[in-house]
Amino acid sequence: MDTSVARAFSILEAVARAPAPVRLSDLAHDLALQKSTVHRILKTLSALGYVDQEAVTDRYRPTLKAWEVGMVAVRNHPVRRAAAPFLTDLQTATGETVSLTVLSGDDVLYLDKIVSPRPMKFSTQPGSRIPAPLAAGGQAILAHEPEAAAIVRRVAARLLNRRDFDSDAFLRQLLVIRERGYTLSRPEPDVVAVAAPIMGRDGRAAGALTVSGPASRLGETEQQAAIEALLLACARLAETVGQI
Amino acid sequence: MDTSVARAFSILEAVARAPAPVRLSDLAHDLALQKSTVHRILKTLSALGYVDQEAVTDRYRPTLKAWEVGMVAVRNHPVRRAAAPFLTDLQTATGETVSLTVLSGDDVLYLDKIVSPRPMKFSTQPGSRIPAPLAAGGQAILAHEPEAAAIVRRVAARLLNRRDFDSDAFLRQLLVIRERGYTLSRPEPDVVAVAAPIMGRDGRAAGALTVSGPASRLGETEQQAAIEALLLACARLAETVGQI
DNA sequence: AAACGCTGTTCCGCCTGACGGAACACGGGG
DNA sequence: CCCCGTGTTCCGTCAGGCGGAACAGCGTTT
């Protein structure tokens, strides 16, 4: 286990995570590393183009190289590639925000998103993650996940008392969702989200598509239309994903 | 210069770049490294969550962690943050594809993009880069760039004879663009792109906004409307960017 | 069936190169 | 003017990365 490599990545993550350019001393302090070590690694990262240094303050900030590297990987992501056209179709069909999520650990990761041109509250952005049970897409995925119980248990422990989350009730709910083929949830008051799983060949969900919007625009009839379009898109997607 | 760190990043980049999961031997061969070295570093990267190994074939593939790290950095990007609302406004106003680019080396990097719901050819995606002089946004930026001449010269050398690119004519063209305040170009037959610079306080362009679409939809009147909206957005943006 | 070539993996001795404490240069504040 | 903070550099020590070689497993070839 190359310690130097592990440190380099923890430094890069710390620099990237910081909302403003960060100083060497703070990095060294926060990561419990020697200043000279952090300095040497930062110079290496800078030579590699992952980090640069503000001219005046000597503070360090991330470049966009890590993003570029990540973007080529995400562009090659098979599910994302397959789902991309369906995302745009769903967006034009429903007029609302459409997003693609995949399971990553106990969280759901927003891989892609096409936002509604119509006004919408702040929402999760691509690249962000939230505990799977708390997202409509995550529920759709968990409904077909063998390890769902373990995930739900761990998430419940993580959330603790942040909100009243009943694991057992949630697991029962997953059975209903599995039976029905889609989720309809209200993550926040005035927000409606419907999601359906993209089934892979192994019987697990390779991801989920979600349509979300304000309750004022998504009435009964609009919800039904969205669900129908969603299920159709996911069924078609399952065919192409199954071939991978 | 930590050799181990540099090697780790070159390995990560190689794994990310590969369109399909890659084998250890190929990595070692391509990067001219010892198999055992590549193996050790891959195990480290795997422990850090940047890479994982296919169960059956033992091949290595990138995870989405590099992307996540990059995304938080790009979300904190000041120009992107400031420009985001203007992008959506421009998209709804013009109905066409709107993108935000910044200068990165001699290239222009696509930081953000809102695609038109209307049909459009394949186009550059966020995270990709192309030589600045070849993009409308790049021309808008270069028109205010002190080092434009050097960049144009280097790009011309890089392109060589790939297309007939006249550096001197292009530099003269930049003066016109600077004077006019925007670019109107036809990067491909049947595609029209208009771009304007987002001026920073130092007199250089912090980025550029571009509206692009098929020539069939962007006639004289639509072009004029797009240019007007573009210039207004860039002017407003310059105010907020100037305060950073 | 046995030898081969390929894969990913592991072992281990050598020695380089990372480590970290200390000293340095610069800069603003008290 | 000194002190505390910053980022930077130096250098002796020694751990840990390096890489050659050997290993185990699998398919194909002979």
Side-chain angles (χ1 to χ4, degrees):
Chain A
M1 168 73 122
D2 306 33
T3 65
S4 166
V5 171
R7 291 176 175 182
F9 276 95
S10 73
I11 289 174
L12 178 61
E13 289 171 25
V15 172
R17 187 170 26 235
V22 67
R23 55 179 64 180
L24 172 59
S25 314
D26 293 344
L27 275 178
H29 177 262
D30 295 349
L31 302 175
L33 293 174
Q34 211 66 22
K35 271 206 304 179
S36 56
T37 301
V38 176
H39 181 259
R40 180 174 34 81
I41 294 180
L42 276 174
K43 273 187 71 173
T44 308
L45 288 177
S46 157
L48 296 175
Y50 284 90
V51 148
D52 69 354
Q53 199 169 8
E54 268 194 339
V56 192
T57 62
D58 284 345
R59 283 178 156 91
Y60 291 90
R61 63 185 167 198
T63 67
L64 296 169
K65 185 158 178 183
W67 182 61
E68 289 185 63
V69 172
M71 279 303 280
V72 326
V74 86
R75 272 206 294 271
N76 289 332
H77 190 94
V79 175
R80 192 190 132 112
R81 285 183 85 96
F86 292 96
L87 274 185
T88 59
D89 287 356
L90 267 178
Q91 206 286 318
T92 54
T94 63
E96 297 296 339
T97 297
V98 181
S99 38
L100 168 67
T101 55
V102 294
L103 193 63
S104 170
D106 297 341
D107 300 325
V108 93
L109 187 61
Y110 284 81
L111 249 194
D112 203 353
K113 177 166 238 172
I114 302 185
V115 299
S116 166
R118 306 198 227 167
M120 176 66 182
K121 296 180 164 190
F122 273 115
S123 63
T124 52
Q125 294 196 20
S128 63
R129 46 170 69 226
I130 60 176
L134 303 187
Q139 295 165 16
I141 294 172
L142 290 181
H144 300 268
E145 180 64 34
E147 310 223 12
I151 293 176
V152 169
R153 183 165 33 79
R154 282 195 298 267
V155 169
R158 218 168 71 191
L159 293 177
L160 226 71
N161 43 14
R162 284 238 304 271
R163 53 176 88 187
D164 47 341
F165 180 78
D166 182 345
S167 298
D168 295 335
F170 182 79
L171 284 172
R172 282 193 300 273
Q173 181 67 12
L174 282 187
L175 295 178
V176 177
I177 294 171
R178 180 187 183 122
E179 192 70 25
R180 193 167 45 186
Y182 66 89
T183 333
L184 192 155
S185 70
R186 311 193 129 221
E188 298 171 39
D190 201 51
V191 173
V192 173
V194 291
I198 302 166
M199 297 308 294
R201 191 160 36 178
D202 54 357
R204 297 170 58 196
L209 293 180
T210 307
V211 175
S212 56
S216 54
R217 285 206 301 262
L218 280 171
E220 272 294 328
T221 54
E222 289 85 358
Q223 287 176 20
Q224 283 306 321
I227 290 168
E228 221 169 289
L230 204 53
L231 289 176
L232 182 62
C234 284
R236 288 235 188 101
L237 250 174
E239 293 174 18
T240 67
V241 169
Q243 293 169 4
I244 299 173
Chain B
M1 167 74 122
D2 305 34
T3 64
S4 165
V5 172
R7 289 176 175 182
F9 277 95
S10 74
I11 289 174
L12 178 61
E13 290 170 26
V15 172
R17 186 170 28 236
V22 67
R23 55 180 67 182
L24 172 60
S25 313
D26 292 344
L27 276 178
H29 177 262
D30 294 349
L31 302 175
L33 293 174
Q34 211 67 20
K35 271 205 306 178
S36 58
T37 301
V38 176
H39 181 259
R40 179 173 36 82
I41 293 180
L42 276 174
K43 273 187 72 174
T44 309
L45 288 177
S46 158
L48 297 175
Y50 284 92
V51 147
D52 69 354
Q53 198 169 9
E54 268 194 339
V56 193
T57 63
D58 285 343
R59 283 176 156 92
Y60 290 91
R61 61 185 168 198
T63 68
L64 297 168
K65 186 158 178 183
W67 181 61
E68 288 185 63
V69 172
M71 279 304 279
V72 326
V74 85
R75 272 205 293 271
N76 289 331
H77 190 93
V79 175
R80 196 192 129 113
R81 286 182 85 97
F86 292 97
L87 274 185
T88 59
D89 288 354
L90 266 178
Q91 204 286 316
T92 53
T94 63
E96 297 296 341
T97 297
V98 181
S99 38
L100 168 67
T101 54
V102 294
L103 192 63
S104 169
D106 297 342
D107 299 327
V108 94
L109 188 60
Y110 283 81
L111 250 195
D112 204 352
K113 177 165 236 171
I114 303 185
V115 298
S116 167
R118 307 199 228 166
M120 176 65 184
K121 296 180 164 190
F122 273 115
S123 62
T124 52
Q125 293 196 21
S128 62
R129 49 170 66 226
I130 60 176
L134 302 187
Q139 294 164 16
I141 295 173
L142 289 181
H144 301 267
E145 180 63 34
E147 311 223 10
I151 293 177
V152 168
R153 184 165 32 79
R154 281 196 297 269
V155 167
R158 217 167 71 189
L159 295 177
L160 225 69
N161 43 14
R162 285 240 302 273
R163 53 178 84 190
D164 47 341
F165 179 78
D166 184 344
S167 298
D168 295 335
F170 182 79
L171 285 173
R172 282 194 300 273
Q173 181 66 13
L174 282 186
L175 296 178
V176 177
I177 294 171
R178 180 187 183 121
E179 193 69 25
R180 192 167 46 184
Y182 66 88
T183 333
L184 193 155
S185 70
R186 312 195 129 219
E188 298 171 38
D190 201 50
V191 173
V192 174
V194 290
I198 302 166
M199 297 308 294
R201 192 160 36 177
D202 55 356
R204 298 170 56 196
L209 293 180
T210 307
V211 175
S212 55
S216 54
R217 285 205 302 262
L218 280 171
E220 272 295 327
T221 55
E222 289 87 356
Q223 287 177 19
Q224 282 306 319
I227 290 167
E228 223 169 286
L230 203 54
L231 289 177
L232 182 62
C234 285
R236 290 235 187 100
L237 250 174
E239 292 173 20
T240 68
V241 169
Q243 293 168 4
I244 299 174

